Amino acid sequence: AAGNYGFQAQPMGFPGGFVVPPVQNQPTMDGTIWMPVPPSIPNCPPGLEYLTQQIDKILIHQQLELLEIVTGFETSNKYELKNALGQRVYFAAEDTDCLTRNFCGPSRPFTIRITDNVGREVITLHRPLRCSSCCCPCCLQELEVQAPPGTTIGYVVQNWHACLPKFTIQDEKKMDVLKIIGPCIVCRCCEDINFEVKSVDETCAVGRISKQWSGLVQEAFTDTDNFGISFPMDLDVKMKAVMIGACFLIDFMFFEHGGNRQQRSGVW
């Protein structure tokens, strides 16, 4: 149950305001401001300390790839993960080969490596090759989340449903912890698309994964997406990391449209 992971499910609304950290890092050479390095915490996977410092929101910005825009050639995705102050918390990069990216498209298996501000890989996401069609309920999507790399902390598992995108967040023992429920039509103009995070019995709102509207030009001509993830501040850091993994899986399944734009039509 959700209560076993250190938070109280919210029957209405979401957690309160963001607490401003007392210290901010200086900008790097490229102008990036990194979140201050937190102290190590006992029993916390190394690198996940960033998610314990009064964090209730993560913003994910996919980087614009000029080569992909000009040629239509699918390049490895790269993302910045920031806190509510705009400080970079992590950097994520897809690790797949050229053949897989361009022949399998958004259905491709992938490994995404998430690093902290000293370049240490702290979270690894593995997505095997699976069918993403609602007509094939026997081989649905699954994502494994490791932190640190090699140590599984949870899974994101797609649940079959005739019309709704539904997922289950599980712990390392594959015990259900949270549910994610998306809208019937995953294609809207000029507004955000919300995937609600709920308790296992789907009665209480816990958080939200939002695909944020990025403007007509960017939405129409690129697959560069922006997401926001909201969760309780006191949610177990491992489950916060698994929710980040869920965001990446949702991006690939519904919004990584590439050249053929199939995800914009709501095919999943």
Side-chain angles (χ1 to χ4, degrees), residues 19-222:
V19 177
V20 178
V23 180
Q24 294 188 24
N25 278 359
Q26 295 296 317
T28 58
M29 292 296 291
D30 62 358
T32 301
I33 300 176
W34 284 90
M35 181 177 173
V37 179
S40 60
I41 299 174
N43 302 318
C44 178
L48 297 194
E49 300 94 345
Y50 290 91
L51 300 179
T52 66
Q53 291 198 335
Q54 304 298 315
I55 293 274
D56 67 350
K57 181 179 292 184
I58 290 288
L59 306 175
I60 300 180
H61 304 296
Q62 185 174 351
Q63 293 189 338
L64 198 64
E65 298 291 340
L66 183 60
L67 176 63
E68 188 171 324
I69 296 173
V70 174
T71 66
F73 185 83
E74 186 70 30
T75 59
S76 295
N77 289 355
K78 299 179 179 65
Y79 308 83
E80 284 186 294
L81 284 71
K82 299 181 178 181
N83 61 20
L85 297 178
Q87 299 168 324
R88 186 188 285 182
V89 182
Y90 298 117
F91 182 81
E94 178 187 359
D95 183 6
T96 55
D97 61 78
C98 175
L99 192 65
T100 299
R101 290 196 305 272
N102 287 278
F103 278 86
C104 296
S107 299
R108 62 187 180 267
F110 63 68
T111 296
I112 290 180
R113 306 187 188 280
I114 301 178
T115 55
D116 64 9
N117 60 12
V118 295
R120 174 182 56 170
E121 184 177 345
V122 295
I123 305 172
T124 306
L125 311 177
H126 290 298
R127 178 203 191 187
L129 182 62
R130 295 284 182 88
C131 177
S132 59
S133 171
C134 62
C135 299
C136 301
C138 60
C139 193
L140 298 176
Q141 295 292 309
E142 181 174 309
L143 182 83
E144 179 186 356
V145 182
Q146 299 177 355
T151 302
T152 301
I153 61 169
Y155 299 87
V156 183
V157 179
Q158 183 187 8
N159 306 131
W160 185 86
H161 194 279
C163 60
L164 292 177
K166 298 187 74 173
F167 302 86
T168 299
I169 288 180
Q170 300 177 330
D171 64 14
E172 69 276 10
K173 298 179 180 178
K174 293 209 166 186
M175 299 293 292
D176 294 353
V177 178
L178 297 169
K179 295 285 186 177
I180 301 175
I181 304 173
C184 183
I185 300 176
V186 191
C187 180
R188 298 176 185 174
C189 184
C190 301
E191 62 180 270
D192 294 350
I193 302 172
N194 297 319
F195 290 74
E196 304 296 338
V197 182
K198 298 189 174 185
S199 57
V200 173
D201 60 7
E202 301 182 11
T203 60
C204 297
V206 173
R208 176 178 291 170
I209 297 174
S210 298
K211 162 65 175 65
Q212 299 172 342
W213 175 255
S214 302
L216 183 61
V217 173
Q218 184 166 317
E219 294 285 339
F221 297 104
T222 77

Side-chain angles (χ1 to χ4, degrees), residues 221-240:
F221 297 104
T222 77
D223 59 4
T224 303
D225 298 312
N226 296 315
F227 287 86
I229 306 174
S230 300
F231 38 60
M233 288 186 183
D234 57 353
L235 178 65
D236 183 271
V237 290
K238 295 180 182 179
M239 295 302 103
K240 288 183 181 181

